[in-house]
């Protein structure tokens, strides 16, 4: 093979690279010479990935349930990858910020538009049988989703709406006791925390509290205010943040609401009698009024938050 000027230039740059680290380039070239060619299945660990579905029952649709939740968690990981890039960027610009929010919105768009797999993609009888074998595990226990919420907004927006004003000047630890999702995993009949919630808090509470502290000045809300206050043009950024607000706080919970109505809807008395949780008031966006960026919405828009979506879904599913 002819040693072209282009190849020689690259070898010279490699020599400089390894010399700067006190390394011998020839040894690394030997490694390259004897290494096997990379394959697609090895690079993405395909065999391992396809072995991670382990149903607890013989019902075939349980594999659908497992795989979709695994796909969901991978999209959440992609989102957190973008959140971290923004929060920890050494020289953040509005343009970089905006493009990363667009990426997150693309991930959530894929999630919300694919959730019909969960709404209509399983037989109801199968679901109701295998789901009972999975207790107390629940998608409620997605730690990554809670990290997305923490990274997206000022933590005060995640406090249960009945306590936000009262706890405005409280410590993070005090506020955390009233984070909204704790009220979605309490038994209707007794008001006690479910085992699902206790497990979740034991595993993630310390990690959540640290992330809340780490993101006090670098959550998306704080960073938006910083750029806006410095006079930057944040028009495109504001539009993407509004989309993110709707995806995370309306579209995604509503997707779960549609699934819950499809598979779980029963009389509240029956739910309470079986130790169930109040998902009927926890999931609909119009009840929780979780809004990351209230400064980007009108009073009328916030008053009607999620109402139209919920009503249309109820009409569709009745």
């Amino acid at each position: 093979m002819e040693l072209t000027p282009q190849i020689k230039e690259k070898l010279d740059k490699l020599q400089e690279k390894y010399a700067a680290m006190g390394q011998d380039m020839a040894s690394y070239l030997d490694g390259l010479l004897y290494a096997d060619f990379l394959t697609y299945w090895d690079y993405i660990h395909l065999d391992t990935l396809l072995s991670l579905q382990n149903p607890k029952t013989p019902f075939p649709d349980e594999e659908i349930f497992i795989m979709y939740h695994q796909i969901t968690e991978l999209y959440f990981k992609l989102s957190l990858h973008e959140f971290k890039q923004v929060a920890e960027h050494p020289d953040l610009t509005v343009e970089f910020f905006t493009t990363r929010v667009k990426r997150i919105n693309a991930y959530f768009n894929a999630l919300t538009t694919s959730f019909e797999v969960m709404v209509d993609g399983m037989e109801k009888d199968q679901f109701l049988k295998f789901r009972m074998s999975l207790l107390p595990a629940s998608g409620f226990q997605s730690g990554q989703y809670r990290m997305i919420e923490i990274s997206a907004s000022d933590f005060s927006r995640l406090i249960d709406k009945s306590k936000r004003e009262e706890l405005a000047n409280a410590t993070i630890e005090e506020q955390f006791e009233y984070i909204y999702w704790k009220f979605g995993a309490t038994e209707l009949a007794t008001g006690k925390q479910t085992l699902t919630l206790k497990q979740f808090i034991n595993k993630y509470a310390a990690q959540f509290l640290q992330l809340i502290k780490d993101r006090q000045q670098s959550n998306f809300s704080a960073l938006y205010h910083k750029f806006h206050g410095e006079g930057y043009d944040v028009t495109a950024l504001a539009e993407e943040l509004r989309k993110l607000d709707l995806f995370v706080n309306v579209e995604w919970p509503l997707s779960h609401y549609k699934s819950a109505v499809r598979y779980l809807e029963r009389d509240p008395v029956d739910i309470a009698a079986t130790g169930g949780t109040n998902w009927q008031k926890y999931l609909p966006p119009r009840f929780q009024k979780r809004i990351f960026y209230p400064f980007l919405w009108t009073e009328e828009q916030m008053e009607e938050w999620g109402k139209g979506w919920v009503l249309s879904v109820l009409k569709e599913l009745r």
Side-chain angles (χ1 to χ4, degrees):
M1 182 190 74
E2 179 186 356
L3 194 63
T4 65
Q6 290 82 5
I7 293 177
K8 186 177 185 306
E9 181 184 359
K10 292 182 186 300
L11 287 172
D12 288 341
K13 288 182 177 179
L14 278 174
Q15 179 65 46
E16 291 176 10
K17 173 183 176 180
Y18 289 113
M21 297 185 294
Q23 300 293 306
D24 176 27
M25 183 184 73
S27 298
Y28 284 88
L29 289 177
D30 281 343
L32 181 62
L33 177 64
Y34 299 123
D36 288 335
F37 288 107
L38 185 65
T39 63
Y40 168 77
W41 47 90
D42 286 334
Y43 180 62
I44 68 165
H45 298 282
L46 182 61
D47 292 338
T48 300
L49 181 65
L50 299 181
S51 72
L52 297 178
Q53 294 77 45
N54 299 291
K56 302 299 182 186
T57 73
F59 299 106
D61 282 0
E62 188 186 347
E63 282 208 54
I64 299 172
F65 188 76
I66 294 171
M67 283 187 276
Y68 190 80
H69 280 84
Q70 290 175 334
I71 290 167
T72 296
E73 291 296 333
L74 288 173
Y75 271 115
F76 287 166
K77 186 172 183 179
L78 282 170
S79 298
L80 287 170
H81 178 65
E82 307 299 345
F83 275 108
K84 185 176 181 180
Q85 286 190 72
V86 172
E88 299 180 6
H89 197 289
D91 190 22
L92 184 64
T93 64
V94 174
E95 291 73 24
F96 184 92
F97 190 179
T98 304
T99 59
R100 267 47 186 182
V101 181
K102 282 184 178 180
R103 289 184 182 182
I104 297 169
N105 287 337
Y107 304 146
F108 268 90
N109 182 60
L111 283 171
T112 56
T113 55
S114 67
F115 207 82
E116 294 302 315
V117 171
M118 291 290 289
V119 176
D120 297 317
M122 297 179 292
E123 292 182 11
K124 185 173 182 178
D125 287 345
Q126 285 192 43
F127 174 84
L128 292 175
K129 290 173 182 176
F130 75 68
R131 185 65 186 88
M132 295 307 295
S133 72
L134 310 181
L135 297 175
S138 169
F140 172 92
Q141 295 175 316
S142 173
Q144 289 197 115
Y145 182 67
R146 308 306 174 189
M147 294 175 196
I148 287 171
E149 294 179 314
I150 291 168
S151 300
S153 182
D154 186 273
F155 182 61
S156 64
R157 301 303 305 172
L158 302 181
I159 300 171
D160 184 83
K161 64 178 183 178
S162 67
K163 291 287 185 176
R164 285 175 195 163
E165 186 174 345
E166 177 184 339
L167 296 174
N169 298 314
T171 66
I172 287 173
E173 287 76 11
E174 291 169 334
Q175 293 177 335
F176 185 73
E177 291 303 309
Y178 293 93
I179 195 168
Y180 81 90
W181 43 257
K182 289 187 178 183
F183 296 88
T186 55
E187 293 183 357
L188 278 177
T190 65
K192 294 181 179 178
Q193 290 186 349
T194 61
L195 178 57
T196 299
L197 178 57
K198 291 177 181 178
Q199 289 177 326
F200 189 55
I201 291 173
N202 287 339
K203 179 170 177 59
Y204 287 112
Q207 191 174 350
F208 290 161
L209 285 167
Q210 186 59 55
L211 184 62
I212 294 165
K213 294 172 183 177
D214 291 344
R215 294 289 179 262
Q216 279 186 298
Q217 304 302 320
S218 59
N219 65 71
F220 279 10
S221 183
L223 292 173
Y224 173 87
H225 281 303
K226 174 180 178 294
F227 283 117
H228 185 265
E230 292 174 355
Y232 287 91
D233 182 358
V234 291
T235 305
L237 175 60
E239 181 61 26
E240 293 303 322
L241 289 176
R242 277 192 288 267
K243 291 177 184 177
L244 179 64
D245 217 346
L246 289 175
F247 272 130
V248 179
N249 291 321
V250 176
E251 299 287 355
W252 186 240
L254 184 57
S255 297
H256 286 73
Y257 182 71
K258 290 169 67 175
S259 180
V261 170
R262 167 75 169 81
Y263 294 111
L264 299 176
E265 187 171 38
R266 291 178 288 165
D267 187 272
V269 174
D270 295 334
I271 296 173
T274 58
T277 58
N278 195 6
W279 62 265
Q280 290 165 312
K281 288 191 175 179
Y282 165 70
L283 287 175
R286 65 193 177 105
F287 293 144
Q288 286 294 326
K289 290 286 179 70
R290 289 191 307 280
I291 304 175
F292 289 155
Y293 315 111
F295 46 86
L296 297 179
W297 303 99
T298 67
E299 289 295 329
E300 182 180 359
Q301 287 171 328
M302 289 190 287
E303 181 62 30
E304 295 295 312
W305 190 254
K307 184 177 180 180
W309 284 272
V310 172
L311 293 178
S312 66
V313 168
L314 286 175
K315 183 178 179 181
E316 174 187 334
L317 294 174
R318 296 303 182 188

